[in-house]
Amino acid sequence: MDSSSVLKQTTISGPDVPPKRAGYFRWVICTLLLLGTTKNYMDRQVLGVLKVTLQHDLRWNEIDYSNLVAVFQFAYAAGMLLVGRLIDRLGTRVGYAFAVVAWSLASMAHGLMSTLSGFLVARFALGFTEAGVFPASLKATAEWFPKKERALATGIFNAGTNVGAALAPLVISFVFVRWGWRTTFFVIGGLGFLWLVLWLLIYKKPEDHPLCSPEELKYIRSDAIELPAKIRWVELLPHRQTWAFALGKFLTDPIWWFYLFWIPDFLQRTQGLDIVHLGMPILVIYAIADTGSVAGGWLSSALLQRGWNTGAARKIALLVCACAVVPIIFVLKLHSMWGVILLLGLATAAHQGFSANMLTLPSDMFPSKAVGSVVGIGGMLGGIGGMLFAKMIGYLLQVTHSYAIPFTIAGSIYFIAVGVIHLLAPKLEPARLEA
């Protein structure tokens, strides 16, 4: 890697800080996106928290469970490609509303299933429809934030992945011990309709929103890119910028899926925790992860505010996060439960900081009209990578009964991802799309 190209600093154009009276309604939108991501991750976390119970009641082995995860990720990959494109066509407001209704119904459908094949169908439906959350959220971020604030805004709404994963065990254990696992799926899934009301009441594009002042709109549009009249999906594939993002997702997304779907099982195996006592340790892990998501986004945004160019700011933040995740390799050497919890928290925080900057790359390199489609392409590859990794974990656990290899991969793969991104997009220069 050519370090000089990463470290080079230049002065960015446009105002460094918003005018004093510009307004801050864009952060209300960011909070709404945070709540949507929280709901999304609560839905996908239910299966992981109930894994031991469902394996006992429905007689699943490790390979059966890995198949459920793999089907979810296969559907998520397909959904990222197709739903991302759909959101670009429908627009953020309608597209996100459609997605949340669909995935909430799919989440509730799990409570009706009694066979492995039924759960496979429900997981496919959930994975396909949940894929809308990031294309929609990133498209909203591109609509409501100037480039210099997007990583921070992304870090904040992306923190909902940790909030959802942290809240899920607490809510799930409360509902589960009173009404059983079927009701748990109905309750968690049904929460999506409460968020939908807020979304439809609040969200509009900034130029159409009565609470977005002319000064704030001017600030939001301070570095806007001229939009082509129409961008075909196939036009995105030849660009190195598309593949820089997509391959970065392919390499690193599987690690987050691993944490999400297997940390509850890992803690039950190694620390002897049952479903009732999982809540506090997982809450601590994802609370730490939240700080990483926001801190990772803040770091590159702060560097931009200080005059660093976009490529240098994003890649320094990615590299810092890649270094911070390395200690997870040694998690199996620890004997203290809270030592394990804190190390898992550091690893998830590093991933989320990495992800906050990764998710900003499409809006750095593409006009907002193409962001949903680019995120969809990257999400598809991330889902495929996660599907392959899930199958590998299932067989490894069935044969070796050890998490050693997955954690070793988790601690090292981010450096490869940074190298690939730098090779394909050295300066994160905007893609040249034909009008």
Side-chain angles (χ1 to χ4, degrees):
M1 181 182 298
D2 182 1
S3 59
S4 64
S5 65
V6 176
L7 297 176
K8 184 179 179 181
Q9 300 182 33
T10 62
T11 301
I12 56 174
S13 61
D16 288 338
V17 294
K20 290 183 179 180
R21 300 178 63 183
Y24 297 95
F25 190 76
R26 62 192 180 280
W27 297 106
V28 175
I29 298 297
C30 188
T31 303
L32 186 61
L33 297 175
L34 166 69
L35 294 175
T37 310
T38 298
K39 169 61 175 66
N40 184 277
Y41 266 71
M42 288 183 71
D43 284 317
R44 70 180 71 182
Q45 182 75 341
V46 179
L47 187 73
V49 175
L50 295 177
K51 175 178 182 288
V52 173
T53 298
L54 293 172
Q55 282 184 309
H56 176 270
D57 290 357
L58 302 178
R59 298 181 180 180
W60 299 340
N61 60 29
E62 295 297 338
I63 295 175
D64 291 332
Y65 180 76
S66 73
N67 286 336
L68 288 167
V69 175
V71 163
F72 175 92
Q73 291 171 320
F74 173 80
Y76 192 86
M80 284 294 283
L81 186 64
L82 300 176
V83 177
R85 187 60 174 166
L86 180 64
I87 287 171
D88 274 343
R89 288 180 176 273
L90 295 179
T92 311
R93 187 173 188 268
V94 175
Y96 204 157
F98 174 81
V100 75
V101 169
W103 92 56
S104 296
L105 291 174
S107 179
M108 296 171 72
H110 287 66
L112 302 174
M113 305 304 172
S114 299
T115 64
L116 180 62
S117 59
F119 268 87
L120 288 169
V121 171
R123 293 310 284 178
F124 183 93
L126 183 66
F128 189 87
T129 52
E130 279 206 337
V133 66
F134 281 106
S137 297
L138 290 166
K139 191 173 179 66
T141 302
E143 290 173 352
W144 272 91
F145 289 87
K147 185 178 294 186
K148 62 182 68 66
E149 288 184 345
R150 285 177 194 164
L152 178 58
T154 300
I156 292 171
F157 85 69
N158 190 50
T161 63
N162 311 310
V163 176
L167 287 178
L170 299 175
V171 178
I172 290 166
S173 63
F174 178 84
V175 178
F176 171 76
V177 298
R178 288 164 176 77
W179 299 292
W181 62 261
R182 294 186 184 277
T183 301
T184 301
F185 281 110
F186 290 129
V187 170
I188 300 297
L191 293 175
F193 295 97
L194 299 178
W195 179 89
L196 178 66
V197 173
L198 290 176
W199 176 256
L200 294 176
L201 287 174
I202 294 174
Y203 193 86
K204 294 179 181 178
K205 287 185 177 182
E207 57 267 26
D208 299 327
H209 210 294
L211 297 179
C212 180
S213 69
E215 293 80 11
E216 185 173 14
L217 179 61
K218 182 179 178 181
Y219 177 67
I220 290 168
R221 295 288 179 258
S222 61
D223 56 6
I225 299 173
E226 189 70 25
L227 300 183
K230 182 179 181 181
I231 301 172
R232 294 184 300 164
W233 181 85
V234 70
E235 293 176 10
L236 300 171
L237 294 180
H239 293 279
R240 292 180 293 104
Q241 292 90 338
T242 301
W243 293 103
F245 174 72
L247 291 176
K249 295 282 284 181
F250 175 80
L251 292 169
T252 59
D253 273 14
I255 308 305
W256 181 247
W257 298 116
F258 166 54
Y259 295 144
L260 189 69
F261 291 124
W262 272 278
I263 277 180
D265 179 69
F266 172 73
L267 293 176
Q268 290 181 56
R269 285 176 182 242
T270 62
Q271 305 302 320
L273 300 174
D274 59 24
I275 190 171
V276 176
H277 296 94
L278 274 175
M280 185 54 65
I282 291 181
L283 176 63
V284 171
I285 290 170
Y286 289 110
I288 297 172
D290 261 342
T291 64
S293 181
V294 177
W298 170 86
L299 176 58
S300 65
S301 292
L303 293 175
L304 282 169
Q305 297 280 7
R306 286 163 175 77
W308 290 59
N309 65 49
T310 302
R314 301 291 190 233
K315 289 177 185 175
I316 287 297
L318 291 173
L319 191 58
V320 168
C321 294
C323 291
V325 80
V326 171
I328 196 62
I329 293 173
F330 307 105
V331 68
L332 292 174
K333 303 291 185 182
L334 297 181
H335 300 291
S336 164
M337 182 189 78
W338 285 108
V340 169
I341 298 302
L342 293 175
L343 200 55
L344 286 167
L346 175 63
T348 54
H351 172 90
Q352 290 294 69
F354 193 97
S355 181
N357 285 278
M358 273 288 302
L359 291 170
T360 310
L361 298 186
S363 62
D364 288 336
M365 299 185 290
F366 292 90
S368 63
K369 183 171 284 190
V371 165
S373 295
V374 174
V375 172
I377 293 169
M380 179 190 69
L381 262 71
I384 291 172
M387 176 183 66
L388 297 174
F389 197 46
K391 289 299 298 177
M392 185 187 77
I393 293 170
Y395 282 100
L396 283 172
L397 291 179
Q398 190 76 10
V399 174
T400 69
H401 306 287
S402 172
Y403 279 93
I405 294 176
F407 278 121
T408 299
I409 296 172
S412 56
I413 199 70
Y414 295 86
F415 290 108
I416 299 173
V418 173
V420 168
I421 292 167
H422 183 68
L423 181 65
L424 291 173
K427 298 180 181 179
L428 300 185
E429 62 276 9
R432 296 183 178 180
L433 301 178
E434 297 294 331

